[in-house]
Amino acid sequence: MLLWTIQHKTTYDILLETGRLIANEKSLLFEGAFRSSYDWLAKQMKKRIGMPPNGVRYPIWAWYQWEGVRKRPDMRTHRYGGKKGIPIVLLSIDVPDNMVLLSDFDMWHVILNDGYLPLYEKDDIEYPSEDEKLKSWENVFCIDEVTDCWYIPKSTQATFWELKKNGF
């Protein structure tokens, strides 16, 4: 599956030096604020695509599509986390389908904010239990479903455990 990942140049240098890129927990953007959401996603990845390699706790993120379009992201608008003057790189990568978990970018933000995630307005619950909320989070993986709650065209993100310089 063709994906695009945006990384800091220093991260790319690590890939070139070591031959492997994994998420560095200390440099992730959430700084503890979204840890429970990331832990939930890691648990889902284990269940859906398999266990991570040794030493890997969190995934690498990439784009599958942006606003319904499967093409290389435009770096003028996709700088996520990149500040002016800090070099970033865009890598086009081919990852085996069975090693990737796709999810809806907009829905992911509900999970980051610890909210309930309905697919349809009629399914919204004002005061869900913790179990109902966590079960609703699985809707983030309904990337092909057209609903009355979520944007069309969809932006789809991809997560996978590691990136290797010489392939998978």
Side-chain angles (χ1 to χ4, degrees):
M1 166 181 319
L2 180 61
L3 304 172
W4 298 274
T5 184
I6 300 169
Q7 301 290 333
H8 288 273
K9 170 75 167 63
T10 55
T11 303
Y12 176 65
D13 292 339
I14 290 170
L15 173 63
L16 293 178
E17 282 177 33
T18 66
R20 180 181 186 223
L21 179 62
I22 62 171
N24 180 343
E25 187 176 343
K26 292 178 184 173
S27 65
L28 290 175
L29 298 176
F30 58 83
E31 296 178 353
F34 303 118
R35 185 172 304 280
S36 63
S37 300
Y38 280 76
D39 287 342
W40 177 85
L41 179 63
K43 182 178 176 182
Q44 291 295 314
M45 289 177 67
K46 290 173 188 172
K47 183 167 92 173
R48 295 167 186 264
I49 63 171
M51 297 301 289
N54 287 337
V56 176
R57 182 169 180 184
Y58 295 112
I60 302 290
W61 293 77
W63 288 109
Y64 174 77
Q65 72 179 13
W66 180 255
E67 296 179 345
V69 179
R70 292 261 310 132
K71 68 176 188 176
R72 185 179 72 80
D74 183 340
M75 293 298 286
R76 294 171 292 186
T77 58
H78 287 83
R79 290 197 60 84
Y80 297 98
K83 296 179 183 168
K84 192 171 185 168
I86 306 228
I88 58 175
V89 297
L90 173 69
L91 303 175
S92 296
I93 54 177
D94 190 13
V95 182
D97 293 6
N98 67 338
M99 298 176 81
V100 176
L101 183 59
L102 298 176
S103 60
D104 185 286
F105 174 71
D106 294 305
M107 290 182 190
W108 171 244
H109 290 83
V110 173
I111 296 170
L112 288 176
N113 289 298
D114 199 34
Y116 180 77
L117 181 57
L119 279 180
Y120 299 95
E121 287 182 23
K122 67 177 178 56
D123 297 329
D124 200 2
I125 298 174
E126 191 169 347
Y127 300 105
S129 69
E130 184 69 12
D131 286 343
E132 289 171 321
K133 179 188 73 176
L134 291 175
K135 180 67 178 157
S136 79
W137 285 6
E138 294 187 28
N139 290 333
V140 76
F141 306 118
C142 297
I143 59 170
D144 294 326
E145 188 144 353
V146 177
T147 77
D148 57 4
C149 285
W150 300 100
Y151 304 111
I152 299 294
K154 292 189 175 218
S155 295
T156 307
Q157 57 194 8
T159 53
F160 50 96
W161 291 121
E162 67 180 340
L163 179 59
K164 293 182 180 177
K165 180 178 168 184
N166 295 325
F168 292 87

